[in-house]
Structure formats: structure tokens, C-alpha cells
Amino acid sequence: MAPAQPDRRTPPPVLAAYGYCEAVTGQQARNFAYGIRLLPAPKRRAMSALYAFSRRVDDIGDGDLDPVVKEARLADARQLVDRVREGTVPEDDTDPVAIALCHAARSHPIPLGALEELVDGVLMDVRGRTYDTWEQLEVYCRCVAGAVGRLSLGVFGTVDGGGAHDTLRAPEYADTLGLALQLTNILRDLREDAENGRTYLPTEDLDKFGCSGGFHTDSPPPGADFAGLVHFEVRRARALFDEGFTLLPMLDRRSGACVAAMAGIYHRLLDRIARDPWSVLRGRVSLPAREKAWVALRGLAGLDARRPARRASAGTAR
């Protein structure tokens, strides 16, 4: 799936719109920004447009507005996708995200239906959806993160690095890598989400490890095997990472470096959580900037940033 050639004579209003999206990305996308810095300008701009739209949708879901108002604003976001699909966003539109997204969609074979999936996923949050099984949670993860993987692949394109059959499966691997990142996010934000009244981990997993009482404090219910729960989910996320990383040989060097950097940061974050499961109840687990930069450089060099961290934590995953 080779991307269409980008417009080399981008009009100034469109460049200004992209500039706005890149500013949003630089200010708010802590991990995402490390990866897209490695891309050539046309792809980096398109990725910033995708991020700016995703950020807008996420902010609607996370805001303090009444649920009815949130649903109305999500409907507006869905209408924006329709305008982009129809190509009816003028260059003098008052919405820079709309301008940039429309140009990106003309320049790259972006699967616009995945943008609607993002809206579907946030709508689940607005309506307070909970998940009894991993299969149910997987649907949510595919909407809010797998969709991002498939959108990104539309910008990256593929090269024949694993045979025609494997290349055709590239969207599947991109989707799976998104699932791995989202499950890592869920583990990292366990306490914060609980304090906001949200529970994402499947009920059957919580029950299995005696953790149905919640995570508002750093002391789960008496008798709960919290570390066992975290290690169980870590193993699931690692399996998703292993499958998703099959995508890397199908990307050109700089696109592969971008994905390796973003996913590598989350993989090392997962390793930190595995080494100290209780850390997710004490605060937000993160990597220092220097370590993120190191992962990005390894990705650019074509090296696997997972391996040192995997060895360091191999004994902790049960």
C-alpha cells in the first residue's frame, strides 16, 4: 500500500493549518512526538493532522461537559470526517484541523472510517461503558488505538519486506500494535481512571485476582493479588507487541523508525510496570526524556529497543 505522492506546492493557508496541528502535537503528545520527529515533513505534517483530530475527540470525552453536550460535539466531529471525505473543506475554513486533515487525506490513502471509529470509542467512554471480558475491551481498544495504527499506516505506506501476503496483513499488524499501546496505557492510568469513575480492565480479570474493589488508593482489597493481575495483563500486552512488531519490516526506514520509537517507548514503560506493579497506584509511570530520546535513536538506527528492557525484567513476569 504505497502512499500517494504529497503535493509539493502546499498552499500557505494549508501550511499554516499544519503548523497549528504540529504545535498541538508538540505541546500535548509526549510520546507520539518523539516518533514523528523522525518522519520527512509531508508525513510528519499528516501525522500531526491526525493527532490534532484525535486530541480534539479525546478532549471532548475527558472534559467536564454534560454527556448530552459531549455527544453533540462528537456528532460534530463525525460531520467533520464527512466533510473531509467529500473534500468540501475550503482552504479559508476557520478550523485549521479540518484544513490540514482534508489536505492529508488528499495526499495519502488514509482510511477515514478509522476516524469515525475513534469517535465511536470515545462515545463508549461518554456513556460509561464497562467490559466484562477481554473480547469486549478489545473492541474498545481497536476503536481508540487500533484505528490510530491503521490511520498511521495510511500515511506511512508499505514496502515489500515480508512477501505480498504479509504486506496485505500490514493493517492487521498496525491494529494489533495499537492494542498493545492502549493496554499499556490502561495499566499506567489505572488509579487515575478509577478516580475519574472509569474501569477498563475486564471484570473477569478483576474477579480472578480479587481486585474488584477498585484502585482509588495504593491498598487494594485485603487478599487481592494485585501484582498477579498486573503481570497477567503485562503478558497479554507483550504478546500483542510481539505480533504488532511484525509490521516494522514492511515500512520504509524512517516510517519504521517512527513506529519503533513510539512503540518502543511504550514497551519499555510496560517493562517498568512489570518490575514494580505497585507503581501504577502511586502515580503516573513515565520514562525520562533522555530514555525516550535513546529509544528514538535506536529506532532510527534500526535497532530493537525492546531487548535490553526485556532481559532486565524477564524474571518478574509471572
Side-chain angles (χ1 to χ4, degrees):
M1 182 175 63
Q5 288 297 315
D7 183 359
R8 296 184 182 277
R9 293 178 294 182
T10 308
V14 176
L15 286 176
Y18 276 133
Y20 171 84
C21 293
E22 289 189 283
V24 170
T25 303
Q27 291 167 6
Q28 300 189 43
R30 299 172 186 172
N31 296 328
F32 189 82
Y34 274 89
I36 67 171
R37 289 174 186 171
L38 305 177
L39 294 172
K43 290 185 178 182
R44 187 182 67 246
R45 292 171 186 154
M47 290 293 288
S48 294
L50 292 174
Y51 177 83
F53 176 85
S54 303
R55 181 75 269 162
R56 175 179 296 179
V57 172
D58 284 345
D59 286 346
I60 293 171
D62 292 337
D64 296 327
L65 300 172
D66 182 87
V68 174
V69 177
K70 288 185 178 183
E71 292 204 24
R73 294 198 176 180
L74 289 173
D76 291 341
R78 209 181 293 274
Q79 288 179 356
L80 171 55
V81 177
D82 288 338
R83 293 175 63 208
V84 169
R85 182 180 287 114
E86 295 162 2
T88 58
V89 180
E91 290 179 4
D92 61 352
D93 197 278
T94 57
D95 182 356
V97 175
I99 297 171
L101 196 58
C102 192
H103 186 271
R106 287 198 305 266
S107 305
H108 305 274
I110 295 171
L112 296 177
L115 292 173
E116 296 174 310
E117 290 182 53
L118 281 172
V119 177
D120 292 337
V122 173
L123 195 56
M124 294 180 197
D125 283 335
V126 170
R127 294 175 177 173
R129 176 83 183 271
T130 57
Y131 308 95
D132 294 330
T133 65
W134 162 245
E135 289 72 22
Q136 292 177 0
L137 178 60
E138 186 177 8
V139 172
Y140 169 78
C141 292
R142 289 192 188 282
C143 285
V144 298
V148 175
R150 286 175 271 122
L151 288 164
S152 301
L153 185 64
V155 174
F156 297 148
T158 59
V159 295
D160 189 8
H165 176 71
D166 283 342
T167 302
L168 291 175
R169 294 186 65 187
E172 173 188 336
Y173 296 130
D175 187 274
T176 299
L177 200 52
L179 264 64
L181 269 61
Q182 185 62 24
L183 184 52
T184 303
N185 266 338
I186 288 171
L187 288 173
R188 180 195 63 187
D189 298 339
L190 206 59
R191 177 171 178 170
E192 179 181 338
D193 287 335
E195 290 173 344
N196 290 325
R198 292 179 180 173
T199 301
Y200 290 101
L201 290 182
T203 301
E204 65 179 9
D205 295 354
L206 298 175
D207 291 344
K208 179 179 179 180
F209 293 94
C211 294
S212 300
F215 309 106
H216 293 275
T217 71
D218 57 5
S219 299
D225 183 7
F226 180 75
L229 171 67
V230 172
H231 287 141
F232 179 80
E233 304 298 348
V234 165
R235 287 196 300 272
R236 174 177 279 153
R238 281 180 172 158
L240 293 168
F241 271 116
D242 288 344
E243 180 179 347
F245 270 107
T246 306
L247 176 68
L248 291 180
M250 304 176 194
L251 305 176
D252 65 70
R253 179 173 176 267
R254 291 177 72 175
S255 297
C258 173
V259 173
M262 289 189 289
I265 287 169
Y266 277 89
H267 195 277
R268 291 178 67 81
L269 183 64
L270 187 70
D271 284 334
R272 286 198 169 205
I273 293 171
R275 288 196 294 270
D276 182 9
W278 299 94
S279 62
V280 298
L281 297 183
R282 294 193 296 268
R284 191 182 183 91
V285 181
S286 63
L287 300 184
R290 64 181 180 278
E291 187 170 355
K292 292 180 183 180
W294 179 84
V295 173
L297 287 172
R298 283 184 65 87
L300 190 60
L303 300 174
D304 188 347
R306 296 173 291 166
R307 290 179 180 173
R310 172 70 64 89
R311 288 198 300 267
S313 60
T316 65
R318 294 170 43 177

